[in-house]
Short mmCIF file of all heavy atoms in Angstrom, two decimals:
data_model
loop_
_atom_site.label_atom_id
_atom_site.label_comp_id
_atom_site.label_asym_id
_atom_site.label_seq_id
_atom_site.Cartn_x
_atom_site.Cartn_y
_atom_site.Cartn_z
N LEU H 290 1.68 102.13 22.10
CA LEU H 290 2.59 103.13 21.52
C LEU H 290 3.84 103.33 22.37
O LEU H 290 3.85 103.06 23.58
CB LEU H 290 1.85 104.47 21.38
CG LEU H 290 0.62 104.45 20.47
CD1 LEU H 290 -0.03 105.83 20.41
CD2 LEU H 290 0.95 103.96 19.05
N ALA H 291 4.88 103.82 21.71
CA ALA H 291 6.17 104.07 22.38
C ALA H 291 6.52 105.55 22.23
O ALA H 291 5.96 106.25 21.38
CB ALA H 291 7.25 103.20 21.73
N THR H 292 7.45 106.00 23.04
CA THR H 292 7.97 107.36 22.90
C THR H 292 9.42 107.26 22.41
O THR H 292 9.87 106.20 22.02
CB THR H 292 7.92 108.09 24.25
OG1 THR H 292 8.63 107.29 25.19
CG2 THR H 292 6.49 108.30 24.73
N GLY H 293 10.14 108.39 22.46
CA GLY H 293 11.55 108.38 22.05
C GLY H 293 11.71 108.84 20.62
O GLY H 293 10.74 109.21 19.94
N SER H 294 12.95 108.82 20.15
CA SER H 294 13.26 109.33 18.80
C SER H 294 12.71 108.42 17.71
O SER H 294 12.31 108.88 16.64
CB SER H 294 14.77 109.42 18.59
OG SER H 294 15.34 110.18 19.61
N THR H 295 12.71 107.11 17.97
CA THR H 295 12.37 106.17 16.90
C THR H 295 10.97 106.36 16.32
O THR H 295 10.83 106.45 15.10
CB THR H 295 12.56 104.72 17.40
OG1 THR H 295 13.87 104.62 17.98
CG2 THR H 295 12.41 103.71 16.29
N PRO H 296 9.90 106.44 17.13
CA PRO H 296 8.57 106.51 16.52
C PRO H 296 8.12 107.91 16.11
O PRO H 296 7.01 108.06 15.60
CB PRO H 296 7.66 105.95 17.62
CG PRO H 296 8.36 106.25 18.89
CD PRO H 296 9.83 106.34 18.60
N LYS H 297 8.97 108.93 16.31
CA LYS H 297 8.52 110.30 15.99
C LYS H 297 8.09 110.44 14.53
O LYS H 297 7.07 111.05 14.21
CB LYS H 297 9.64 111.30 16.30
CG LYS H 297 9.54 111.85 17.71
CD LYS H 297 10.42 113.05 17.88
CE LYS H 297 9.62 114.17 18.50
NZ LYS H 297 10.46 115.30 18.89
N ASN H 321 0.16 103.69 26.08
CA ASN H 321 1.61 103.92 26.02
C ASN H 321 2.35 102.95 26.93
O ASN H 321 1.83 102.49 27.94
CB ASN H 321 1.94 105.36 26.37
CG ASN H 321 2.11 106.19 25.12
OD1 ASN H 321 1.13 106.67 24.56
ND2 ASN H 321 3.34 106.31 24.66
N LEU H 322 3.57 102.68 26.52
CA LEU H 322 4.40 101.71 27.25
C LEU H 322 4.79 102.16 28.64
O LEU H 322 4.86 101.36 29.56
CB LEU H 322 5.71 101.50 26.49
CG LEU H 322 5.72 100.57 25.30
CD1 LEU H 322 7.03 100.75 24.54
CD2 LEU H 322 5.58 99.13 25.78
N ASP H 323 5.10 103.47 28.77
CA ASP H 323 5.76 103.87 30.02
C ASP H 323 5.62 105.36 30.30
O ASP H 323 5.22 106.14 29.44
CB ASP H 323 7.24 103.46 29.99
CG ASP H 323 7.89 103.64 28.62
OD1 ASP H 323 7.42 104.51 27.85
OD2 ASP H 323 8.85 102.93 28.31
N GLU H 324 5.96 105.72 31.52
CA GLU H 324 5.98 107.12 31.94
C GLU H 324 6.98 107.26 33.08
O GLU H 324 7.10 106.36 33.93
CB GLU H 324 4.59 107.57 32.38
CG GLU H 324 4.48 109.00 32.92
CD GLU H 324 4.96 110.08 31.97
OE1 GLU H 324 6.19 110.17 31.75
OE2 GLU H 324 4.11 110.86 31.44
N TYR H 336 6.24 111.75 29.32
CA TYR H 336 5.78 111.07 28.11
C TYR H 336 4.34 111.47 27.78
O TYR H 336 3.92 111.35 26.62
CB TYR H 336 5.96 109.56 28.24
CG TYR H 336 7.42 109.14 28.10
CD1 TYR H 336 7.87 107.90 28.49
CD2 TYR H 336 8.37 110.02 27.56
CE1 TYR H 336 9.20 107.52 28.34
CE2 TYR H 336 9.70 109.66 27.42
CZ TYR H 336 10.10 108.41 27.81
OH TYR H 336 11.42 108.04 27.66
N PHE H 339 5.14 114.47 25.69
CA PHE H 339 5.73 114.01 24.42
C PHE H 339 4.64 113.55 23.46
O PHE H 339 4.59 113.94 22.30
CB PHE H 339 6.72 112.86 24.69
CG PHE H 339 7.29 112.24 23.44
CD1 PHE H 339 8.53 112.62 22.96
CD2 PHE H 339 6.57 111.27 22.74
CE1 PHE H 339 9.05 112.05 21.79
CE2 PHE H 339 7.07 110.70 21.57
CZ PHE H 339 8.31 111.09 21.10
N MET H 340 3.75 112.68 23.97
CA MET H 340 2.73 112.10 23.10
C MET H 340 1.73 113.15 22.62
O MET H 340 1.28 113.12 21.47
CB MET H 340 1.98 110.97 23.83
CG MET H 340 2.77 109.71 24.02
SD MET H 340 3.49 109.00 22.51
CE MET H 340 2.04 108.67 21.50
N VAL H 385 3.70 98.83 19.36
CA VAL H 385 4.88 99.41 18.71
C VAL H 385 6.00 99.47 19.75
O VAL H 385 5.78 99.93 20.88
CB VAL H 385 4.58 100.84 18.20
CG1 VAL H 385 5.84 101.48 17.61
CG2 VAL H 385 3.45 100.82 17.17
N LEU H 386 7.18 99.03 19.36
CA LEU H 386 8.34 99.08 20.26
C LEU H 386 9.53 99.73 19.57
O LEU H 386 9.73 99.55 18.37
CB LEU H 386 8.78 97.66 20.65
CG LEU H 386 7.83 96.76 21.43
CD1 LEU H 386 8.47 95.38 21.59
CD2 LEU H 386 7.53 97.37 22.80
N GLY H 387 10.32 100.47 20.36
CA GLY H 387 11.68 100.80 19.96
C GLY H 387 12.56 99.81 20.68
O GLY H 387 12.07 98.91 21.38
N ILE H 388 13.86 99.97 20.56
CA ILE H 388 14.77 99.10 21.31
C ILE H 388 15.88 99.95 21.90
O ILE H 388 16.42 100.84 21.23
CB ILE H 388 15.31 97.94 20.42
CG1 ILE H 388 16.22 97.00 21.23
CG2 ILE H 388 16.05 98.46 19.19
CD1 ILE H 388 16.56 95.69 20.52
N GLY H 389 16.19 99.72 23.17
CA GLY H 389 17.30 100.43 23.79
C GLY H 389 18.61 99.83 23.33
O GLY H 389 18.66 98.66 22.92
N GLN H 390 19.69 100.60 23.44
CA GLN H 390 20.99 100.07 23.05
C GLN H 390 21.37 98.87 23.93
O GLN H 390 22.14 98.02 23.52
CB GLN H 390 22.06 101.16 23.14
CG GLN H 390 21.97 102.13 21.97
CD GLN H 390 22.70 103.43 22.25
OE1 GLN H 390 22.09 104.44 22.60
NE2 GLN H 390 24.00 103.41 22.11
N ASN H 391 20.79 98.81 25.12
CA ASN H 391 21.07 97.67 26.01
C ASN H 391 20.01 96.57 25.86
O ASN H 391 19.95 95.65 26.65
CB ASN H 391 21.13 98.14 27.47
CG ASN H 391 19.80 98.71 27.97
OD1 ASN H 391 18.82 98.74 27.24
ND2 ASN H 391 19.78 99.16 29.22
N GLY H 392 19.16 96.71 24.84
CA GLY H 392 18.17 95.67 24.58
C GLY H 392 16.86 95.87 25.32
O GLY H 392 15.97 95.02 25.25
N HIS H 393 16.72 97.00 26.02
CA HIS H 393 15.45 97.16 26.75
C HIS H 393 14.28 97.38 25.79
O HIS H 393 14.46 97.92 24.69
CB HIS H 393 15.52 98.24 27.84
CG HIS H 393 15.54 99.66 27.37
ND1 HIS H 393 16.21 100.66 28.05
CD2 HIS H 393 14.97 100.29 26.31
CE1 HIS H 393 16.02 101.81 27.43
NE2 HIS H 393 15.28 101.61 26.38
N ILE H 394 13.11 96.92 26.21
CA ILE H 394 11.86 97.24 25.52
C ILE H 394 10.95 97.82 26.58
O ILE H 394 10.92 97.33 27.71
CB ILE H 394 11.23 96.03 24.78
CG1 ILE H 394 11.18 94.78 25.67
CG2 ILE H 394 11.95 95.74 23.48
CD1 ILE H 394 10.45 93.59 25.04
N GLY H 395 10.19 98.88 26.23
CA GLY H 395 9.58 99.67 27.30
C GLY H 395 10.74 100.11 28.17
O GLY H 395 11.85 100.37 27.67
N PHE H 396 10.53 100.16 29.47
CA PHE H 396 11.67 100.42 30.36
C PHE H 396 12.04 99.15 31.11
O PHE H 396 12.43 99.18 32.27
CB PHE H 396 11.37 101.58 31.31
CG PHE H 396 11.68 102.94 30.74
CD1 PHE H 396 10.85 104.02 30.99
CD2 PHE H 396 12.82 103.16 29.97
CE1 PHE H 396 11.13 105.29 30.48
CE2 PHE H 396 13.12 104.42 29.46
CZ PHE H 396 12.27 105.48 29.71
N ASN H 397 11.89 98.02 30.43
CA ASN H 397 12.32 96.75 31.01
C ASN H 397 13.80 96.59 30.74
O ASN H 397 14.22 96.23 29.64
CB ASN H 397 11.53 95.59 30.39
CG ASN H 397 10.07 95.66 30.76
OD1 ASN H 397 9.68 95.33 31.87
ND2 ASN H 397 9.25 96.16 29.83
N THR H 416 20.57 104.00 30.33
CA THR H 416 19.32 104.53 29.78
C THR H 416 19.19 106.01 30.16
O THR H 416 18.80 106.84 29.33
CB THR H 416 18.12 103.73 30.32
OG1 THR H 416 18.26 102.38 29.90
CG2 THR H 416 16.80 104.29 29.85
N ALA H 419 21.42 107.84 27.90
CA ALA H 419 20.90 107.91 26.52
C ALA H 419 19.76 108.92 26.43
O ALA H 419 19.61 109.61 25.43
CB ALA H 419 20.41 106.53 26.09
N ASN H 420 18.96 109.06 27.50
CA ASN H 420 17.80 109.95 27.45
C ASN H 420 18.12 111.37 27.92
O ASN H 420 17.28 112.26 27.82
CB ASN H 420 16.64 109.36 28.26
CG ASN H 420 16.06 108.15 27.57
OD1 ASN H 420 16.56 107.72 26.54
ND2 ASN H 420 15.02 107.58 28.13
N ARG H 422 19.73 113.51 26.53
CA ARG H 422 19.67 114.48 25.42
C ARG H 422 18.38 115.29 25.41
O ARG H 422 18.33 116.37 24.85
CB ARG H 422 19.89 113.77 24.08
CG ARG H 422 18.78 112.81 23.66
CD ARG H 422 19.23 112.00 22.42
NE ARG H 422 18.16 111.23 21.81
CZ ARG H 422 17.73 110.06 22.24
NH1 ARG H 422 18.27 109.51 23.32
NH2 ARG H 422 16.77 109.41 21.59
N PHE H 423 17.33 114.78 26.05
CA PHE H 423 16.06 115.51 26.06
C PHE H 423 15.95 116.50 27.22
O PHE H 423 15.06 117.33 27.27
CB PHE H 423 14.88 114.53 26.16
CG PHE H 423 14.80 113.57 25.00
CD1 PHE H 423 15.08 112.22 25.16
CD2 PHE H 423 14.45 114.02 23.73
CE1 PHE H 423 15.01 111.33 24.10
CE2 PHE H 423 14.37 113.14 22.65
CZ PHE H 423 14.65 111.79 22.84
N THR H 436 6.47 101.09 33.88
CA THR H 436 6.52 100.51 32.53
C THR H 436 5.62 99.29 32.42
O THR H 436 5.46 98.54 33.39
CB THR H 436 7.97 100.11 32.15
OG1 THR H 436 7.99 99.63 30.80
CG2 THR H 436 8.56 99.04 33.06
N ILE H 442 3.66 93.21 27.52
CA ILE H 442 3.96 93.42 26.09
C ILE H 442 3.65 92.15 25.30
O ILE H 442 3.07 92.19 24.21
CB ILE H 442 5.44 93.84 25.92
CG1 ILE H 442 5.68 95.23 26.51
CG2 ILE H 442 5.88 93.78 24.45
CD1 ILE H 442 7.14 95.66 26.60
N LEU H 451 10.62 98.83 15.78
CA LEU H 451 11.29 99.73 14.83
C LEU H 451 12.71 99.99 15.30
O LEU H 451 12.96 100.16 16.51
CB LEU H 451 10.54 101.07 14.75
CG LEU H 451 9.04 100.99 14.47
CD1 LEU H 451 8.43 102.39 14.47
CD2 LEU H 451 8.77 100.29 13.14
N SER H 453 16.34 102.20 13.95
CA SER H 453 16.98 103.02 12.94
C SER H 453 18.34 103.51 13.45
O SER H 453 18.48 103.89 14.60
CB SER H 453 16.09 104.23 12.63
OG SER H 453 16.79 105.18 11.85
N ARG H 456 23.56 103.40 15.85
CA ARG H 456 23.50 103.30 17.31
C ARG H 456 22.74 102.05 17.76
O ARG H 456 22.93 101.55 18.85
CB ARG H 456 22.78 104.61 17.72
CG ARG H 456 22.54 104.97 19.09
CD ARG H 456 22.13 106.45 19.15
NE ARG H 456 20.72 106.68 18.89
CZ ARG H 456 19.76 106.58 19.80
NH1 ARG H 456 20.05 106.25 21.03
NH2 ARG H 456 18.50 106.82 19.49
N LYS H 457 21.86 101.55 16.90
CA LYS H 457 21.05 100.38 17.27
C LYS H 457 21.59 99.08 16.67
O LYS H 457 21.02 98.01 16.90
CB LYS H 457 19.60 100.58 16.82
CG LYS H 457 18.89 101.76 17.47
CD LYS H 457 18.75 101.57 18.97
CE LYS H 457 18.29 102.81 19.70
NZ LYS H 457 16.92 103.15 19.48
C1 F6R L 242 9.89 104.42 24.90
C2 F6R L 242 10.50 103.20 25.37
C3 F6R L 242 11.93 102.84 25.11
C4 F6R L 242 12.47 103.34 23.77
C5 F6R L 242 13.95 103.01 23.64
C6 F6R L 242 14.54 103.58 22.36
O1 F6R L 242 8.55 104.51 25.29
O2 F6R L 242 9.84 102.47 26.01
O3 F6R L 242 12.08 101.45 25.18
O4 F6R L 242 11.75 102.75 22.73
O5 F6R L 242 14.65 103.55 24.72
O6 F6R L 242 14.52 104.96 22.43
P1 F6R L 242 14.85 105.87 21.15
O7 F6R L 242 13.76 105.62 20.18
O8 F6R L 242 14.83 107.28 21.67
O9 F6R L 242 16.18 105.43 20.65
#
Side-chain angles (χ1 to χ4, degrees):
L290 300 180
T292 55
S294 306
T295 309
K297 268 194 130 171
N321 263 84
L322 280 168
D323 39 26
E324 177 57 289
Y336 285 165
F339 175 97
M340 287 307 299
V385 176
L386 297 176
I388 182 168
Q390 284 162 260
N391 64 1
H393 73 212
I394 48 174
F396 274 141
N397 294 283
T416 299
N420 290 3
R422 67 189 191 279
F423 299 110
T436 183
I442 292 171
L451 308 178
S453 169
R456 183 166 83 83
K457 298 296 170 71

